[in-house]
Amino acid sequence: LGGPDDELKELADPFEEMLDRLDRAFESQRRFVANASHELRTPLAINRTLLEVQLADPGASPELAQLGKTLLATNERSEQLVEGLLLLARSENKIVDKKPVDLAEVASQAVDQARTEAQAKGVEMRGVRQQAFVQGNGVLLERIALNLVQNAVRYNVPQDGWVEVTTEPQQGCAVLVVSNTGPAGSDKGAGLGLTIVRSAVRAHDGTTTATPREGGGLTVRVVLPL
């Protein structure tokens, strides 16, 4: 603010300084995410090469070959996650390159990935997933579903628990709902997982709400515009 050094300028100067500090902090955060993602690319690329070489060995046993395929798929998802983080950093938390993605498909993939862990904990996986297409980034949408489902499985009752994952199209939006038996109302231990969920949903111009269930547990509702 230009002009004389009056009371208004005395108020404006510290306000402008505060905005400058905030801008530097946000820019620093974006650089950190981008740099960290780049650093993760190298070991993941090395892992992929080593696994592909092992899988190409005709003398490898069937068990070793199957393990290599599983690890290669896991490594590929990690690479995709890194690319998703880079995308968030570059686009300032806005998805620019959007494609049609079936929310039911990514939610079902998340359920399949979490099923083994759920069975080990005695948690029943259920829910009806209706086809619901949104415009967005498939990797980040899958990450939203997977993190919510894994969180619901891990923060559950010791026995006879369940996780319900549903999707449905509504007027102008698609909805993903993940509900579970409790206790599951805390972010403790979720760390980066739920942070990515919030950022990815926000990047898709969507909203996330969490509501405690009567009798324990949590219902998380993600609404994404079409």
Side-chain angles (χ1 to χ4, degrees):
L1 181 67
D5 291 330
D6 54 14
E7 292 85 354
L8 185 59
K9 194 171 191 312
E10 289 179 5
L11 288 173
D13 286 348
F15 186 73
E16 288 180 352
E17 291 174 4
M18 179 191 69
L19 292 178
D20 286 340
R21 290 196 300 270
L22 285 173
D23 186 62
R24 288 194 297 271
F26 293 148
E27 180 59 31
S28 176
Q29 185 182 52
R30 285 193 291 269
R31 284 199 306 270
F32 171 78
V33 173
N35 291 338
S37 299
H38 278 300
E39 289 296 324
L40 287 170
R41 275 175 157 176
T42 300
L44 288 172
I46 293 173
N47 286 347
R48 172 164 38 84
T49 301
L50 292 174
L51 288 167
E52 288 172 344
V53 169
Q54 184 62 48
L55 287 172
D57 182 4
S61 66
E63 294 81 6
L64 188 60
Q66 182 58 47
L67 176 61
K69 291 179 181 177
T70 301
L71 292 175
L72 192 61
T74 301
N75 195 80
E76 182 180 357
R77 291 192 177 278
S78 297
E79 289 183 293
Q80 291 174 342
L81 175 58
V82 168
E83 291 301 324
L85 288 171
L86 271 173
L87 178 61
L88 281 178
R90 288 169 178 167
S91 62
E92 297 183 353
N93 289 341
K94 289 293 180 182
I95 301 299
V96 178
D97 185 19
K98 296 181 179 181
K99 298 179 180 179
V101 180
D102 184 3
L103 201 57
E105 182 177 341
V106 297
S108 295
Q109 289 173 353
V111 169
D112 290 340
Q113 290 183 63
R115 197 177 298 280
T116 300
E117 183 178 0
Q119 290 174 344
K121 293 176 67 68
V123 174
E124 176 192 359
M125 304 296 291
R126 65 193 197 190
V128 177
R129 289 169 286 281
Q130 302 178 41
Q131 191 177 70
F133 279 93
V134 297
Q135 294 291 325
N137 178 277
V139 173
L140 293 178
L141 290 171
E142 182 178 332
R143 184 55 51 177
I144 290 171
L146 181 59
N147 287 357
L148 290 178
V149 171
Q150 287 179 334
N151 202 55
V153 170
R154 293 167 184 173
Y155 295 87
N156 215 300
V157 293
Q159 58 183 7
D160 298 326
W162 52 261
V163 172
E164 184 174 80
V165 184
T166 65
T167 59
E168 63 173 333
Q170 293 188 1
Q171 185 66 34
C173 65
V175 180
L176 164 68
V177 179
V178 180
S179 301
N180 71 331
T181 41
S186 172
D187 288 0
K188 184 178 180 181
L192 179 63
L194 289 186
T195 301
I196 291 175
V197 168
R198 296 187 187 103
S199 296
V201 171
R202 186 170 58 246
H204 287 83
D205 295 317
T207 60
T208 309
T209 56
T211 307
R213 290 183 59 257
E214 184 176 351
L218 197 68
T219 296
V220 180
R221 180 182 176 89
V222 175
V223 179
L224 299 168
L226 300 182

